[in-house]
Amino acid sequence: MKVLKDIRLYKSDVDNIDGNSLPISFADKELNAIIGRIVMKLRENNFSLGEFDHLYINFTVCPVDGKIALSKRSVDRYNPWYRYYDINISDDMFSELGNSETRDEVIKLIKDVLVQNFVTSNFDEKHISSCFTQALEQGENMLMKFKEKETVKRKAVIYLRYLDNCQYLPLLRVLDMEDRILFETDLPEMHDLNCLGNIQVSSKKVTVKPRQNAYTKTTQPFSFEY
């Protein structure tokens, strides 16, 4: 079982020769930020789609069995990590996709896809709704626990916030074993999470090292004494 990594939105108003929808992306930055927070909260709670971890949702005026269904074009043996799900919508809604007027309905339909197809005994509809509610109500202030390092006397945690500009704003926090906050600070805004690798924490110092890859060869660790 794979934990959810991403949800992306597409739209289509024509079919190709095989009867499959031809999707193009339509979400604006604000909607992408909202979806990003929803995914973060679901991921924090280990929500799984099963054998894949990327969900592509296609809003279409083409006929769809039961209004929401796995797309005919979804199965790709070379890329088994994603699936497309089609949602049939009206012509009027289709013409407004990408505008603020349809945002609430788009979010509701995303939740409908998850509830109708991915509810389990360990992650029921109430649990899914709770993740959506937290993401929508808390907005940029929503925290997702991303990484944690625990020693005998200290615990260091990195939380992620996702801003409206689609940048991450991490929060680093050090606590004692009674969960009293000893130190916390915002880390710089970042587009990706390559800077957030291993955490080292002692009684007087906390360090966050970057991931080891081609993008971080010159990246310096974050280090703080407290």
Side-chain angles (χ1 to χ4, degrees):
M1 301 290 283
K2 296 184 177 181
V3 176
L4 172 69
K5 287 185 178 179
D6 196 11
I7 295 175
R8 300 183 187 180
L9 303 186
Y10 298 87
K11 66 179 181 178
S12 64
D13 60 354
V14 295
D15 286 348
N16 66 16
I17 193 170
D18 296 321
N20 298 327
S21 300
L22 300 171
I24 58 172
S25 179
F26 72 85
D28 60 12
K29 183 170 286 189
E30 184 173 350
L31 181 54
N32 277 327
I34 293 170
I35 295 169
R37 294 180 196 119
I38 291 170
V39 170
M40 287 166 62
K41 189 54 63 174
L42 289 166
R43 183 172 176 80
E44 183 181 45
N45 286 272
N46 295 312
F47 177 74
S48 176
L49 302 171
E51 61 184 5
F52 63 101
D53 52 26
H54 285 61
L55 176 62
Y56 297 165
I57 299 178
N58 179 46
F59 293 81
T60 180
V61 296
C62 303
V64 177
D65 291 341
K67 187 176 179 180
I68 297 174
L70 180 66
S71 173
K72 295 176 183 178
R73 71 185 307 277
S74 187
V75 179
D76 182 346
R77 63 178 179 173
Y78 300 107
N79 297 288
W81 42 269
Y82 75 85
R83 298 286 189 279
Y84 273 96
Y85 273 74
D86 289 331
I87 301 179
N88 174 253
I89 60 174
S90 67
D91 290 335
D92 288 343
M93 181 176 177
F94 186 88
S95 66
E96 295 296 330
L97 285 176
N99 297 330
S100 59
E101 290 78 5
T102 61
R103 189 166 294 139
D104 289 346
E105 182 64 17
V106 166
I107 294 168
K108 176 185 177 299
L109 289 170
I110 295 171
K111 184 166 70 172
D112 288 346
V113 173
L114 301 183
V115 169
Q116 292 182 28
N117 296 278
F118 303 105
V119 162
T120 66
S121 58
N122 295 323
F123 215 114
D124 59 14
E125 180 177 354
K126 184 177 180 180
H127 204 166
I128 292 173
S129 294
S130 175
C131 292
F132 272 70
T133 298
Q134 291 177 69
L136 293 169
E137 291 185 351
Q138 296 174 20
E140 290 186 315
N141 295 318
M142 189 197 80
L143 295 177
M144 169 200 171
K145 183 185 285 188
F146 177 61
K147 285 193 173 183
E148 182 178 71
K149 174 70 174 182
E150 187 171 325
T151 66
V152 175
K153 296 183 178 180
R154 294 289 183 267
K155 182 166 56 177
V157 184
I158 297 175
Y159 295 94
L160 297 180
R161 289 164 293 195
Y162 200 54
L163 305 180
D164 289 338
N165 62 7
C166 294
Q167 295 275 99
Y168 292 101
L169 178 59
L171 172 68
L172 174 62
R173 184 176 287 170
V174 179
L175 309 97
D176 63 19
M177 302 319 292
E178 284 74 44
D179 285 335
R180 292 181 294 230
I181 298 175
L182 304 176
F183 170 81
E184 69 175 10
T185 187
D186 291 330
L187 300 180
E189 289 186 24
M190 52 190 70
H191 177 68
D192 58 49
L193 303 174
N194 285 315
C195 293
L196 307 180
N198 293 330
I199 307 173
Q200 296 177 344
V201 60
S202 68
S203 59
K204 295 183 179 180
K205 186 176 181 180
V206 59
T207 300
V208 181
K209 294 186 175 182
R211 296 173 178 174
Q212 295 184 346
N213 58 41
Y215 303 104
T216 60
K217 289 182 178 180
T218 61
T219 303
Q220 297 299 309
F222 300 108
S223 190
F224 306 93
E225 294 183 356
Y226 62 91

